[in-house]
Amino acid sequence: MSGAVYAGPLETSVGRLDIERVAEGLREPWSLAFLPDGGFLVTERDGRLTRFRSDGAAIEIGGVPEVWAGGQGGLFDILVPRDFATSGEVLLSFARPQGRGAGTAVAAARLGPDRLDGLRIIWEMPAGSSGRRHFGGRLVEAPDGAIFLTIGERGAFDPAQDLDMLHGKIVRITRDGRAAPGNPFPDRAGGVIWSYGHRNPQGLAFDEGGRLWASEHGARGGDEVNLIEKGANYGWPEIAYGRHYSGLKIGRGTSAPEMEQPKHYWDPSIAPSGHMIYSGKLWPGWRGNHFVGSLKFDYIARLDPEAGWAEEALKADETARVRDIREAPDGTIWFLSVDRGAVYRIRPE
């Protein structure tokens, strides 16, 4: 069901705001994307893609690729590229069945009224992983049109440091799935790697200056916000600001030569998912602030990098397991609640 319904107030540093429920009845929603006609798309982890039209109609879209919906796998992100008005094309990330296992993959297709047409797999991890966790799966389009995709280390630890494997990497590809020109390791793992040493990046966003940021899961403590640089090593599992779930120390400690430090980290872990950097359109004081959803503590973290990454917790009954967060074209802030099975919008009171 779709259609805006007042859900409740949200007390914030800029005053009281309203939360509206825009859609409900979803089963573990994962990603949200806006369409130029005023509608929007939502993915659900079990493999469902729904188009919500501006008139309130909800249409389940056929032709979605087969997904492996075991463990943490399933249908992940939906990306509407900037040229959608002319190309009609969308991109999807998902866990693709690969024999006895599954790998993170990206598909492209034209979005029709009620189905995906001409679906093709443009990129996928080489077969061979059998783990049920840490798929990554977040997509974002760069200012130059390249596509960035996060890939978790699948719970395998050491491959995140191995440039001949794609576990624990952020990759950069073209719209047809080739290695994008200028990638830093052209002779390793198909030339697609942009950065490495990641555990499980679940949020990815560009700021207004064109810099790429990621939020990723640590283990027991040590969730991170990282500024993603070309060719940089983010340390996992050599360094971390947390411990293994057993309580044992991870790697060499919190720092090591030639490994990047996070700009912000959480201890205890909040399980970050979804990452948006706000334009300031409706709330100028929030311009450049980072908004990150928490799957563990049921809130949206607002982080101000100009104030030493000071954090405000935006919390209400509706912010239960926030999986994705986006800024709409009109400047309102939208988010997905897994526990509520709903899409919500934050707007001025």
Side-chain angles (χ1 to χ4, degrees):
M1 187 192 85
S2 65
V5 176
Y6 177 74
L10 179 66
E11 301 295 338
T12 77
S13 57
V14 296
R16 180 169 160 163
L17 307 179
D18 282 344
I19 300 177
E20 292 179 328
R21 188 185 68 235
V22 183
E24 63 178 353
L26 302 169
R27 302 187 297 268
E28 201 167 349
W30 209 96
S31 177
L32 164 72
F34 300 104
L35 293 167
D37 63 4
F40 60 97
L41 299 164
V42 174
T43 63
E44 294 166 82
R45 197 174 65 83
D46 64 3
R48 188 163 62 157
L49 172 65
T50 304
R51 180 176 193 162
F52 295 91
R53 295 193 328 210
S54 58
D55 63 5
I59 303 166
E60 185 170 349
I61 300 297
V64 176
E66 179 187 3
V67 305
W68 189 88
Q72 295 174 355
L75 181 58
F76 302 136
D77 217 345
I78 176 75
L79 172 64
V80 177
R82 288 188 298 275
D83 70 355
F84 176 82
T86 54
S87 72
E89 188 171 80
V90 297
L91 275 67
L92 293 162
S93 62
F94 62 105
R96 188 183 191 203
Q98 296 177 330
R100 299 177 63 182
T104 307
V106 180
R110 288 183 60 85
L111 177 65
D114 60 2
R115 67 174 291 104
L116 296 175
D117 295 319
L119 184 103
R120 61 196 189 281
I121 309 301
I122 63 169
W123 187 87
E124 66 178 305
M125 285 186 70
S129 292
S130 58
R132 297 168 61 84
R133 58 190 174 126
H134 299 179
F135 288 86
R138 194 63 73 178
L139 289 166
V140 70
E141 183 182 21
D144 66 1
I147 303 300
F148 284 87
L149 167 71
T150 68
I151 305 172
E153 40 76 285
R154 304 299 302 278
F157 298 96
D158 293 340
Q161 289 292 316
D162 187 343
L163 289 173
D164 290 319
M165 300 183 73
L166 289 168
H167 301 62
K169 310 299 191 295
I170 293 178
V171 303
R172 178 173 171 264
I173 59 176
T174 63
R175 283 279 288 275
D176 59 5
R178 295 176 297 170
N183 282 354
F185 308 108
D187 300 321
R188 311 288 290 273
V192 298
I193 296 171
W194 185 258
S195 63
Y196 64 109
H198 301 284
R199 184 172 182 265
N200 188 27
Q202 289 285 287
L204 199 61
F206 278 97
D207 65 20
E208 64 180 2
R211 298 181 302 174
L212 182 63
W213 297 82
S215 50
E216 61 183 279
H217 289 207
R220 196 170 116 189
D223 295 347
E224 298 179 352
V225 173
N226 285 304
L227 175 61
I228 304 301
E229 303 279 6
K230 178 180 180 178
N233 180 357
Y234 291 84
W236 180 261
E238 293 294 315
I239 60 173
Y241 281 89
R243 288 182 173 270
H244 290 297
Y245 295 113
S246 65
L248 294 176
K249 179 182 175 181
I250 296 171
R252 292 182 266 170
T254 59
S255 64
E258 300 182 356
M259 293 185 181
E260 301 298 316
Q261 285 289 298
K263 298 300 182 183
H264 177 77
Y265 71 91
W266 287 274
D267 190 6
S269 296
I270 71 164
S273 189
H275 194 144
M276 178 270 287
I277 302 171
Y278 190 61
S279 71
K281 182 175 285 187
L282 291 181
W283 300 286
W286 285 353
R287 181 177 180 180
N289 285 195
H290 294 235
F291 290 75
V292 180
S294 169
L295 289 166
K296 183 177 181 181
F297 292 126
D298 299 337
Y299 73 98
I300 297 168
R302 181 185 66 81
L303 302 168
D304 186 351
E306 299 300 319
W309 293 92
E311 180 173 348
E312 177 184 16
L314 306 179
K315 188 175 180 67
D317 289 343
E318 293 73 28
T319 59
R321 283 183 60 81
V322 175
R323 173 64 76 179
D324 199 10
I325 183 163
R326 306 279 178 165
E327 180 181 352
D330 64 0
T332 55
I333 296 172
W334 293 44
F335 64 92
L336 298 178
S337 166
V338 175
D339 282 3
R340 299 286 180 262
V343 182
Y344 293 101
R345 172 172 61 198
I346 300 171
R347 61 180 303 161
E349 187 179 27

